[in-house]
Amino acid sequence: MGMVSTVGLVLHPQRDSEEAIETIVEWARKRDCAVLGLPDEVGRIDCNAIAVDTPALVRRSDLLVSLGGDGTMLRTMRLIAGRPTPVLGVNLGRLGFLAEIDVDELAPALSAIDEHRYTVEPRMAVRATGHDGRTVTAFNDIALVRIPGDGLAAVAVSVYGEPFVRYAADAVIVSTSTGSTAYNFSAGGPIVSPSVEGFLVVPAAAHSAFNRALVLSADEEVTLDVLPTSGQLALEVDGTIGGHLSPGDRLTVTALRAAARVVRLGTTTFYERARRKLRVNGSAEVD
């Protein structure tokens, strides 16, 4: 990344990001650098960012700064999916996995980026294509989730068209290694290092005899068929509703390598973040 001449902002819908924005705007002003934001977001606060639509924000930014938490970071990554634009995550509030720094570290972080003292970590996404050709892209997970009061999620999983397992569960989750600490983790799946290029298929609260997760290579293609015995299912994309599925519907899921690039300044490792966030300590027997 050469000199940053345009910074794009993506803001959390509620959390107060005024201090962070002022820091960025001031940094940009000294460097004759433009700051862009989405109209409904920068319109909420009094700042010098130029309001542009999503395609312009994506096209024009040399660096995207996500101000919020993991949800905002995931949304920023989905906006940019497939482009090499680096994303810096700034945490406002609770500790996250994806955001690299807190607000008070923002000024030195921007200087480090200026001086090329940072690394960029590629992040894989999963993409699901429906029978109608419509696609959704997620950086944590795509989940087929039962609707309360309706039947279970009854889903057949095939790899390259070869039937492997049928799950009956509250949800069937397809997760990236990034998303292994999200819904997959609460469903009892493993914590996966972000440097592993693969994805997981895991049932949540499985009612089937087989309840184990399946780990696939980034090159494999998985098909999820909603079985006749299934209830109506919600399709969740990084935790937000992306549509609904009915018995007979089919999703084909593939991995997208390096679909986003996250700025790392070497302040914490994935394992430190995982230990703090998930309270990984192990058994009382060993302490």
Side-chain angles (χ1 to χ4, degrees), residues 25-106:
V25 168
E26 185 56 25
W27 176 81
R29 196 179 55 75
K30 286 180 187 151
R31 284 159 188 76
D32 205 19
C33 174
V35 180
L36 310 178
L38 298 169
D40 55 331
E41 295 185 5
V42 294
R44 291 202 319 266
I45 44 175
D46 179 30
C47 74
N48 297 338
I50 304 153
V52 295
D53 63 7
T54 304
L57 183 78
V58 167
R59 193 177 64 246
R60 290 171 56 186
S61 301
D62 304 315
L63 170 70
L64 275 182
V65 181
S66 159
L67 299 170
D70 283 351
T72 309
M73 192 67 180
L74 289 163
R75 185 162 60 91
T76 308
M77 289 159 79
R78 286 196 304 273
L79 284 180
I80 208 78
R83 295 179 79 98
T85 317
V87 180
L88 173 66
V90 182
N91 204 28
L92 307 177
R94 294 191 310 280
L95 176 78
F97 275 104
L98 292 165
E100 179 67 355
I101 55 162
D102 293 329
V103 176
D104 56 2
E105 302 166 285
L106 187 52

Side-chain angles (χ1 to χ4, degrees), residues 157-161 174 199 201 214 216 220-224 251-254:
V157 179
S158 309
V159 182
Y160 284 134
V174 181
F199 61 108
V201 183
L214 179 63
L216 299 165
E220 291 177 300
E221 178 185 277
V222 68
T223 308
L224 305 175
L251 281 184
T252 304
V253 185
T254 52

